[in-house]
Structure formats: C-alpha cells, structure tokens
Amino acid sequence: MNRVLLSLALLATPLFPALAQTAPTTAAPAPTEPRTIEAITATSAKGYSIRVPSGWTPLKNAPNVDVAFINKTVGALRPTVTVVVQDIPADLKATLADIRDLNERKMPEVVTKLKFLGEKNVKVSGVPGILWSYSGDGEGGAVRWTQVFTLKNNRLFTATLMLPSGTPADLAEQGRAILTSMTLK
C-alpha cells in the first residue's frame, strides 16, 4: 500500500519543477483601436498619382474624368478634385503654350461669369505646368476653380479643384494640397 501511495505521489509531482511553475499562458489579444486613414495615394495606370487626405471620398463612374474625389457639401455643392488625362496625337506637335491658349479661348463658353484670378508657371515632377485660378457660376452657386495642367509625352494631365463659395479655409487648403501632390510617373 505504501508503494502504491508513493507511486501516486511521484506521479503527482512534476518531473521538471521549473516548467511546472512557468506553464504557458495564452493572453487574449488587446482590443484594437479603429484604424484612422490619414491619406491615400491614388495611382493611375495613365501615368500619375495624387495624395488624397481622409474625408475626401472617391466618386465612382464620374463621366469624362480619370479620378474624382468629393468632400462634404458646402451650400448646394461639394468640393471636388478631378483629374483628366488626354492623349494628344504626336503629329500635332502640341506644346503646353498651345494647350494653354486653346483652353483660354474655350473657357468663356464653358464657365458662366468667368473671371480669371491668376496664372502661374509651375513644375509638376520637374515638367513645366500652368496653374490657373478662376471663378464663375457653377451648377448651384458661385465657384472658384484651381487648375493645374501639364503635358508629358503627348499626354495632357489636368487636375482641377472646384470649391463652392463659403468653403472653409482648412478644406480649401486640403484641396490645394491634393493638386500640388500630383506626381507624374
């Protein structure tokens, strides 16, 4: 009987006491905070990318544009950023100045109460570009547009920011930052 008790006692005693004291524990994973996306980079197969901060929502199936992003409604309109990419036939030998002049002639037909606010020569990824600011009537009220266009390898890139009258300054600054983030590939 003593032998049986001794055998039971030995079975109950761990052979490796150090391991018995440090038995593995499985801790529950810490609850995760919701992820906040500060910005995304939209990259197009057409040869450019733009960086868009949170709060700007992609607009799917926007006609005649490569990408479009919108923000919260201001008045009757939503601030919008669009990028249009157009291939220019090489045999036209179009220059950025040609594109600028053509756009300037067409603008009064496209924008009601057009008022040019400024023009500036800029660089987009080291390539010459033109930055325009103009205002007029949009569908739903007074609007201010900021537009940058550049020509690379017979491809015209036009990024446009549309801000309704009364857009808060921080939202307008975000929109301008989207335009200046445009990078050509």
Side-chain angles (χ1 to χ4, degrees):
M1 174 102 161
N2 282 342
R3 227 183 217 182
V4 173
L5 289 176
L6 182 59
S7 295
L8 289 175
L10 286 175
L11 288 175
T13 306
L15 297 176
F16 302 99
L19 290 178
Q21 293 172 1
T22 59
T25 59
T26 305
T32 58
E33 295 288 322
R35 285 184 8 170
T36 301
I37 297 174
E38 293 182 20
I40 62 165
T41 300
T43 302
S44 172
K46 293 185 178 180
Y48 72 92
S49 65
I50 58 172
R51 186 166 169 79
V52 183
S54 66
W56 290 81
T57 305
L59 184 60
K60 304 270 185 199
N61 302 319
N64 304 317
V65 299
D66 192 45
V67 296
F69 290 88
I70 56 175
N71 207 299
K72 59 187 171 206
T73 302
V74 175
L77 300 170
R78 297 180 87 166
T80 306
V81 172
T82 59
V83 179
V84 175
V85 180
Q86 298 167 291
D87 289 322
I88 307 295
D91 59 333
L92 288 181
K93 298 185 192 243
T95 66
L96 187 59
D98 295 331
I99 301 296
R100 182 221 170 275
D101 293 345
L102 180 63
N103 284 344
E104 184 179 33
R105 282 193 300 274
K106 284 183 174 180
M107 291 303 292
E109 299 168 18
V110 177
V111 179
T112 307
K113 296 184 183 176
L114 174 67
K115 180 178 179 186
F116 271 100
L117 304 173
E119 179 178 313
K120 182 178 179 182
N121 291 326
V122 296
K123 294 280 186 181
V124 179
S125 298
V127 177
I130 295 175
L131 176 72
W132 275 354
S133 292
Y134 53 97
S135 64
D137 283 346
E139 294 177 18
V143 173
R144 178 184 175 124
W145 289 273
T146 304
Q147 188 171 61
V148 63
F149 53 96
T150 188
L151 189 62
K152 181 179 179 185
N153 299 329
N154 296 317
R155 187 168 269 185
L156 175 63
F157 299 88
T158 306
T160 305
L161 168 65
M162 186 278 298
L163 297 172
S165 182
T167 299
D170 62 329
L171 190 54
E173 185 56 37
Q174 283 182 1
R176 286 189 288 274
I178 295 170
L179 290 188
T180 59
S181 77
M182 189 163 83
T183 304
L184 302 179
K185 305 290 179 199

